[in-house]
Amino acid sequence: MTDGTHDQAEPARPLDVAGLQHRLARFAAARNWQPFHTPKNLAVALSVEASELVEIFQWLTPEQSARVMEDPDTAHRVEDEVADVLAYLLQLCEVLGVDVLAALAAKIDRNETRFPVPGTGSAAVDIAPLDDGHSPES
């Protein structure tokens, strides 16, 4: 991705969230896309891209899904959709002023309190994972 002034790839540098958000913002600005990058539009786009990722796995058995990265074409599709999901999530966080890493760290902290390791003697109630496809982390 470039800023639109040339087609050369940017030089390799360490990846960080703020740097990626800046690249995405420059990419959108160079194309005058900012008016469309509202929280609602970005959330909808994020959902669409997440659905495209789900579509890759839709009819696979658990065993097939565990091997999905073994096929180069499918692995490329997975990587592209993961990148799309992350791009829209980072853009949404930028627009809303959410520090994505701080939000994730806080969520993990809350989950560690809500769902303690079984047998630790914590005052919190230990809840066995449900076998209904729902994750307690959400």
Side-chain angles (χ1 to χ4, degrees):
M1 186 179 305
T2 65
D3 64 5
T5 58
H6 52 66
D7 289 329
Q8 289 180 295
E10 292 192 14
R13 62 178 175 230
L15 298 177
D16 64 272
V17 171
L20 292 171
Q21 284 176 309
H22 183 69
R23 278 185 75 187
L24 289 165
R26 283 196 338 259
F27 183 85
R31 290 152 181 82
N32 296 316
W33 288 352
Q34 305 99 315
F36 307 106
H37 283 196
T38 64
K40 180 206 63 99
N41 287 350
L42 291 169
V44 169
L46 172 61
S47 176
V48 168
E49 295 301 337
S51 294
E52 290 179 10
L53 178 60
V54 169
E55 183 180 30
I56 296 168
F57 295 91
Q58 184 174 9
W59 302 113
L60 300 181
T61 65
E63 296 77 19
Q64 290 170 323
S65 69
R67 296 188 313 269
V68 75
M69 299 305 283
E70 294 173 6
D71 175 65
D73 291 335
T74 306
H76 180 73
R77 287 179 54 216
V78 168
E79 290 172 353
D80 273 356
E81 297 307 334
V82 165
D84 288 341
V85 167
L86 183 57
Y88 280 116
L89 178 60
L90 292 177
Q91 290 173 91
L92 178 62
C93 288
E94 178 74 15
V95 167
L96 294 175
V98 172
D99 180 333
V100 67
L101 296 180
L104 177 57
K107 182 65 174 186
I108 293 169
D109 289 344
R110 287 191 305 276
N111 282 342
E112 288 173 339
T113 301
R114 281 182 65 200
F115 306 103
V117 176
T120 60
S122 171
V125 176
D126 288 349
I127 300 173
L130 301 175
D131 192 19
D132 64 356
H134 292 95
S135 169
E137 286 81 22
S138 54

